Amino acid sequence: MDAVVGRRINARRVHPLVDRGYVRLSNAANRSRLWVSIAAGLALFGRPRPALRGVGSLVVASILANLVGKKLFGGDRPLLKDIPVGRRLKKQPASASFPSGHSASAAAFATGVALESPRLGLAVAPVAAAVAYSRLHTGAHWFSDVVGGSVIGVATAALGKAIVPARSSSSRHRGQGGTPVGLPALPDGEGAFIVVNPASGNSTLRPDPMKALSARLPRAAVHRLDDGEDLVAVARRALESGDRPQVLGVAGGDGSVGAIAQVARDAGLPLLVLPSGTFNHFAGAAGIESVDAAIDGLLAGEGVRVDVAELTVGDGDPKTVLNEASLGVYSDFVAEREKVEARVGKWVGSVVAAVRVMTNAHPAAVTIDGRDTEVWSLFVGVGRNAPGAAPLRRRRLGGGSLDLRVLRVRSRARAVWSLSFGGRLGSVVSDLLPGSTGLEERTQEATEIRVHSREAQPLAHDGEVHSHGTAYTYRVTVVPGGLEVYRPFI
């Protein structure tokens, strides 16, 4: 069988660029560099559990394949003379042939990721399959080597799940807190008014929400924003119409969700959150992992009552805050990112903005609850958040408290990294950089901050940035159970 498969692959002629592509892909997977890089990207953008399970599965599978399997079974590799010259690796492997360590690592990583997130696993699987095939295409392995390595990888990840179960959807919901509540069930969507903001930018891992809305909520009133339209004005006009909706919905990122949440709270209506932005921090914290999950909650009439906060600047009207309010380096970072993300995307824009802010950052002079200080960043999160100076990830939907993080840092690089990336990755890497963190953390129900800086200090909340000059006062107060959101119980 190995000989037959090998002859057919070697006899098949493809473009030289394809040959070089498989060679480079095979080399990229050496020592699992490709998979570690993908895992770092997943962790960087808020998916640490799939990254951790993928790498953990990979490590065990690699040990089983390379240190155990090759010693038990061994075998000679394909003869180099049978491999077309353009496909050969510059350095042909000298270790035993069976099983394929590259295939074991690829299959283990992809399966591990899929066990935590099927959608991410679906995205990684073609890369893993291509790496496994590259070992055949380049003549590094026989077909049975690749099959054996793949079986080891899948089995290792499956065994890992049996030992350390993947977190289920229901356990994610329970872990977030909040109060389960029955809400109006709308089987075909009639009675729901949904605003779709295409400017939020669809996540690469999520489909266009319009398809799901048309298929599953055919009688819902759906308004897709045109350029220049104000989503709050659109929602308020719907409430003032003769056919007043029972439910307000929004498809967009955190800024869009926060704006419509204010309208929903003013009207006393539940909110349908359809995650279709880039990061969707609030939807992720609430356990709403997809548009279909949100629609499931609407069809079943299931939801949760969550804490929010109210942000008041000076004598202005309070604004609903779902995730955080912050100023300092992080606010500058968000403002800078918004300037470039339209051209290069939010993820690349984050890196560009971080570099620019790193060069020009200055501490802000503030008075926090009557105490004067200078800070790099001041973060006020709704409920307990993940680690970091600006973590951007709520851990609890209830609890009735704010999470205050005040960052005083001597190291500019450490401060900007921590604020830009937040979460566990930001905390781990910032620990490797010089300088004291000076991070103060505490919880309270309300806080008042007076800004009196020499330079303008923009104030950000839920990803939106607003400038109030160099001197102003703002207050943030938690509102326990202040918003009802659709989310299936199971």
Side-chain angles (χ1 to χ4, degrees):
M1 180 187 65
D2 283 339
V4 170
V5 173
R7 282 196 298 270
R8 289 185 177 179
I9 290 176
N10 293 334
R12 184 167 169 262
R13 294 292 178 260
V14 296
H15 195 279
L17 289 177
V18 175
D19 288 336
R20 288 199 292 270
Y22 279 120
V23 170
R24 290 175 180 174
L25 180 63
S26 186
N27 288 332
N30 288 346
R31 301 184 183 278
S32 299
R33 290 193 300 265
L34 174 63
W35 310 121
V36 172
S37 299
I38 294 175
L42 293 176
L44 180 63
F45 293 109
R47 303 306 300 270
R49 290 184 65 91
L52 184 61
R53 186 175 289 276
V55 170
S57 302
L58 178 156
V59 170
V60 176
S62 181
I63 292 173
L64 291 175
N66 293 307
L67 301 183
V68 179
K70 289 183 183 296
K71 293 185 180 301
L72 287 177
F73 299 100
D76 296 327
R77 291 180 183 265
L79 293 176
L80 192 61
K81 68 179 183 64
D82 295 332
I83 312 302
V85 175
R87 301 181 183 182
R88 298 177 187 176
L89 300 172
K90 287 185 177 180
K91 185 178 180 180
Q92 200 70 8
S95 60
S97 185
F98 186 91
S100 166
H102 281 65
S103 301
S105 297
F109 182 80
T111 306
V113 169
L115 289 174
E116 287 289 344
S117 173
R119 288 184 177 84
L120 289 176
L122 190 62
V124 173
V127 183
V131 168
Y133 173 75
S134 75
R135 305 304 284 173
L136 297 172
H137 196 85
T138 60
H141 279 287
W142 300 103
F143 178 68
S144 60
D145 302 339
V146 171
V147 172
S150 300
V151 170
I152 289 174
V154 172
T156 299
L159 181 61
K161 180 184 178 182
I163 298 173
V164 183
R167 187 172 55 165
S168 67
S169 177
S170 59
S171 67
R172 280 193 292 269
H173 291 171
R174 289 193 297 269
Q176 298 297 337
T179 305
V181 60
L183 298 174
L186 307 180
D188 54 9
E190 184 175 8
F193 181 81
I194 302 169
V195 183
V196 177
N197 184 8
S200 295
N202 289 335
S203 166
T204 56
L205 301 177
R206 292 186 175 88
D208 185 345
M210 295 299 294
K211 295 180 180 179
L213 292 174
S214 299
R216 303 190 64 191
L217 302 177
R219 303 192 66 178
V222 180
H223 184 99
R224 187 181 181 93
L225 290 179
D226 294 326
D227 290 341
E229 271 195 304
D230 181 84
L231 76 166
V232 172
V234 169
R236 293 197 187 281
R237 283 199 301 270
L239 291 173
E240 294 167 359
S241 66
D243 190 13
R244 191 175 190 270
Q246 296 175 263
V247 174
L248 280 181
V250 56
D254 287 311
S256 301
V257 174
I260 297 299
Q262 180 67 61
V263 180
R265 291 185 63 223
D266 291 342
L269 297 179
L271 181 66
L272 176 68
V273 178
L274 305 166
S276 58
T278 302
F279 293 115
N280 305 298
H281 293 299
F282 176 73
I288 308 168
E289 296 190 337
S290 66
V291 169
D292 282 321
I295 294 176
D296 289 343
L298 178 68
L299 299 181
E302 299 173 346
V304 64
R305 187 176 291 117
V306 306
D307 291 358
V308 296
E310 289 185 341
L311 168 68
T312 306
V313 180
D315 297 325
D317 295 329
K319 297 181 179 180
T320 296
V321 177
L322 300 177
N323 298 313
E324 51 78 30
S326 58
L327 60 76
V329 175
Y330 180 71
S331 297
D332 294 339
F333 162 76
V334 175
E336 192 67 35
R337 185 187 66 193
E338 289 182 343
K339 296 178 184 178
V340 299
E341 67 182 7
R343 300 192 300 272
V344 300
K346 186 168 287 187
W347 291 359
V348 176
S350 296
V351 178
V352 174
V355 172
R356 291 180 180 177
V357 170
M358 186 183 299
T359 304
N360 302 311
H362 298 282
V366 298
T367 302
I368 307 172
D369 297 327
R371 187 178 63 173
D372 294 337
T373 187
E374 287 192 342
V375 301
W376 281 113
S377 175
L378 175 59
F379 173 93
V380 183
V382 184
R384 285 298 296 176
N385 272 246
L392 293 179
R393 178 70 69 179
R394 288 180 66 170
R395 280 184 163 176
R396 300 288 298 174
L397 299 176
S401 67
L402 302 175
D403 191 342
L404 189 65
R405 313 279 177 98
V406 183
L407 183 63
R408 306 177 184 87
V409 183
R410 292 192 294 269
S411 167
R412 186 180 300 263
R414 187 172 186 167
V416 174
W417 180 280
S418 181
L419 289 165
S420 299
F421 296 102
R424 290 184 179 87
L425 183 64
S427 298
V428 170
V429 176
S430 66
D431 287 342
L432 304 177
L433 298 174
S436 171
T437 59
L439 179 62
E440 176 186 344
E441 304 180 48
R442 64 177 185 266
T443 58
Q444 53 197 68
E445 295 181 358
T447 185
E448 180 177 277
I449 294 97
R450 182 165 62 88
V451 180
H452 44 88
S453 192
R454 290 175 296 178
E455 298 180 349
Q457 296 293 332
L459 179 62
H461 67 91
D462 294 334
E464 303 293 317
V465 182
H466 302 277
S467 179
H468 301 285
T470 60
Y472 58 94
T473 300
Y474 69 96
R475 292 167 294 281
V476 185
T477 305
V478 70
V479 183
L483 179 67
E484 293 179 337
V485 181
Y486 281 96
R487 185 196 71 189
F489 291 157
I490 297 177

